[in-house]
Amino acid sequence: MANALIYKVQTGAFALKKNAEKQSARIIEKTGFKPIIKKEGVLYKVQCGAFSKLSNANARKGALIKAGFSAIIIAVDTNANVTLIDETPKEISEETKIRVWAVHFFDEDESQYGDCTAIIEYNSDGKIIHCILIDTAKSTSTAVKKLKLAGVTTIDAIVISHAHGDHYGGLTNFLKYFSVKSLYLPDTTELDKYQKSYGNALRNQEKKAKKKNIYCEYLKAGKGFAVGDNIRCDCIWQMPASAVSEHDNHHFVNNESIVLVFTINDTWKFHTAGDLQNPGNNALIKAIPNLKADIFKCQWHGDANATNERIAKAISPKVAFSNYHHKEGSGRGTTRKRLEATGTYFMRNAEDGDIYMDIEGNTMTVTCSKNKSKKVFTK
C-alpha cells in the first residue's frame, strides 16, 4: 500500500482548552484562517490546515509566522496511523516565567545612553523560548554581553520606538550577534511631513535588516504582533504631526514615538512609549480613554517633562522604571514623586542596576541587581 502522507500545521499545544481557544480566536482575527482544536492525551492542539503537499504546508506555516504565530509541521502516515515527524515542543507550563528586564548597560561606558528593555519568556525548565527587545540604545556592547550571558541566542522581535539614535543606534550589533527574526519600526508618515531625514534614518535600519532577510514592518495605531502564545504587542497610538506645535526640533521626533502596550499572559499590561513628552501625553489621554497598565517605562528617560501628573494618574502602574544612567537631575526626582503619589513602586537603572519584573501566572516579583529589595504584586 502506498504511503498517504498528510502534513498538518500546528500552532500550539495547551494543557487548558481555554488557552487553545484563545489562540484559535487570535489566528482567525489576524489571518482569516480557521484552525481546529484537537485533543491528544492531556493536550489541546491547535492545528491550522492539513495538506497533501509539503510545499502547501510550508506556505501556511510561513504565513502564520509572518503574522506573529509560532508554527510547526507534523507529517502523519494515514495508512499506518502513525506520526512520522512531530516537531511539537515540550508543553509549556501554565506557570511559564516571563521577565520584563530593564537592562543596565552603562557600567563600562557612560556614553552608552538610551533605552533598552527585554521581554524574555522561559519554559518550566528555565530554557529561553522567546525574546523581544524594545529599543537598542545608542551603543550596546554591554547589553549584548548581558543578553548572551543570560542565554539569549535568538531575538524574535526588535521594536524601535522612534527615530533617535539612542533608541536604534545599537541595532547593528544586535543584528550581528543574534539571530533576529523581525524588526518593527514606527510609522514614518507624520514624521516625513516635517523631518524626512529622521524618516530616512528609520528606513536605513530597515535596509540593514532586510539585507539579512529579516521580516520588517512599520507599526501604527491598530497594528501589532504576537510572539508565542503568551506575549502580544499592540500599537495603540501615535501623535498626529498636526497636533504638535513645534516641527523643527528634537522634541517633535520624541512626540512621534509609538505608544505600545504589551499584554502578558492575557493579564498583565506593560506600557512603553519611547520619548513621548507631555504634549504627546496630553493628546494621548484625550484619544485613549483607558490607559491603565501594570508596568510603565518612564518616557524620555524619566524627565519630568514627559511624565506629568495626568499621565501618572491615567496609567497608575504598580511598577515604573527609568532605563537611564543619569542621577535624578533634569526633573527626574519630580517624576519619581508624581508616580509614587499614585502608589507606584519606582526604580531607576542608575541607582538599582538591572531591574527584573518576573511574571508567573497572576504573580509579579520585582528585584534589582544592586540591592536586596524584593516586591511581590498579584492580580
Side-chain angles (χ1 to χ4, degrees):
M1 183 181 295
N3 285 344
L5 291 179
I6 296 295
Y7 300 95
K8 298 181 179 181
V9 182
Q10 185 165 298
T11 65
F14 302 87
L16 297 180
K17 186 177 181 180
K18 68 177 183 179
N19 289 339
E21 290 171 342
K22 288 178 182 177
Q23 174 81 335
S24 179
R26 286 194 292 260
I27 292 169
I28 292 170
E29 177 186 3
K30 193 158 186 181
T31 68
F33 301 145
K34 296 182 178 179
I36 63 169
I37 298 173
K38 184 177 181 181
K39 187 175 182 182
E40 294 183 0
V42 297
L43 297 180
Y44 294 90
K45 298 185 177 182
V46 182
Q47 296 179 347
C48 195
F51 303 89
S52 59
K53 292 184 178 180
L54 180 58
S55 59
N56 292 339
N58 277 321
R60 175 62 57 86
K61 176 183 176 181
L64 287 163
I65 290 173
K66 185 175 180 180
F69 299 97
S70 58
I72 60 174
I73 294 175
I74 299 169
V76 177
D77 183 340
T78 57
N79 288 333
N81 195 30
V82 296
T83 300
L84 300 180
I85 303 171
D86 187 347
E87 302 174 4
T88 308
K90 182 176 179 180
E91 192 264 329
I92 297 169
S93 164
E94 298 302 321
E95 294 301 308
T96 293
K97 181 171 80 173
I98 296 176
R99 165 170 284 181
V100 179
W101 175 11
V103 183
H104 182 226
F105 50 85
F106 324 115
D107 293 326
E108 297 176 7
D109 183 357
E110 288 293 311
S111 70
Q112 293 185 30
Y113 60 85
D115 273 10
C116 186
T117 305
I119 303 177
I120 300 176
E121 182 173 4
Y122 303 81
N123 69 10
S124 56
D125 292 332
K127 180 181 178 182
I128 293 173
I129 53 175
H130 293 299
C131 178
I132 300 169
L133 203 63
I134 307 157
D135 288 329
T136 63
K138 177 184 177 182
S139 174
T140 50
S141 59
T142 303
V144 166
K145 290 176 186 176
K146 286 192 171 184
L147 264 69
K148 280 191 167 294
L149 285 171
V152 176
T153 57
T154 299
I155 299 175
D156 294 86
I158 294 178
V159 189
I160 304 300
S161 64
H162 67 292
H164 276 149
D166 59 328
H167 292 256
Y168 69 73
L171 179 63
T172 300
N173 273 343
F174 282 104
L175 296 180
K176 179 178 179 181
Y177 293 109
F178 296 89
S179 172
V180 179
K181 294 182 179 180
S182 55
L183 173 67
Y184 294 92
L185 300 158
D187 184 69
T188 63
T189 303
E190 300 293 283
L191 193 61
D192 286 341
K193 293 177 182 178
Y194 296 97
Q195 296 201 34
K196 194 168 184 178
S197 61
Y198 284 96
N200 289 336
L202 292 175
R203 285 182 282 273
N204 285 335
Q205 307 313 306
E206 178 190 21
K207 289 176 184 177
K208 290 179 188 177
K210 285 191 170 180
K211 283 182 179 179
K212 293 179 173 288
N213 296 315
I214 293 168
Y215 172 75
C216 297
E217 184 176 343
Y218 289 87
L219 293 180
K220 55 184 177 181
K223 300 188 75 174
F225 62 91
V227 170
D229 302 321
N230 299 311
I231 306 171
R232 173 160 186 84
C233 172
D234 290 291
C235 178
I236 63 169
W237 194 75
Q238 187 177 23
M239 191 168 187
S242 59
V244 187
S245 59
E246 299 173 292
H247 300 107
D248 59 353
N249 60 19
H250 183 91
H251 304 292
F252 170 67
V253 181
N254 280 352
N255 279 305
E256 283 303 303
S257 298
I258 47 176
V259 181
L260 305 172
V261 174
F262 287 85
T263 303
I264 298 170
N265 290 344
D266 291 325
T267 302
W268 298 87
K269 301 287 185 183
F270 169 34
H271 179 112
T272 176
D275 284 355
L276 192 71
Q277 294 180 221
N278 284 336
N281 280 324
N282 293 335
L284 171 63
I285 291 167
K286 290 181 180 179
I288 308 294
N290 181 11
L291 292 171
K292 180 73 174 162
D294 303 290
I295 303 170
F296 174 52
K297 186 202 74 71
C298 294
Q299 294 141 198
W300 201 19
H301 316 292
D303 194 284
N305 289 315
T307 305
N308 57 21
E309 290 89 347
R310 294 184 67 199
I311 198 69
K313 290 178 181 178
I315 296 176
S316 293
K318 297 178 185 296
V319 174
F321 66 90
S322 176
N323 196 198
Y324 202 51
H325 70 282
H326 287 330
K327 302 297 181 182
E328 290 190 341
S330 301
R332 294 181 177 94
T334 302
T335 295
R336 176 189 290 273
K337 290 175 183 176
R338 287 170 179 166
L339 285 161
E340 289 180 343
T342 70
T344 300
Y345 181 57
F346 183 84
M347 299 160 292
R348 288 171 39 79
N349 285 134
E351 291 81 27
D352 299 307
D354 289 281
I355 299 166
Y356 308 111
M357 292 147 278
D358 292 329
I359 295 169
E360 297 183 72
N362 293 325
T363 301
M364 175 172 63
T365 304
V366 180
T367 56
C368 304
S369 65
K370 285 191 175 182
N371 60 56
K372 301 296 183 181
S373 65
K374 181 170 79 169
K375 291 282 186 179
V376 179
F377 302 86
T378 58
K379 296 283 279 187

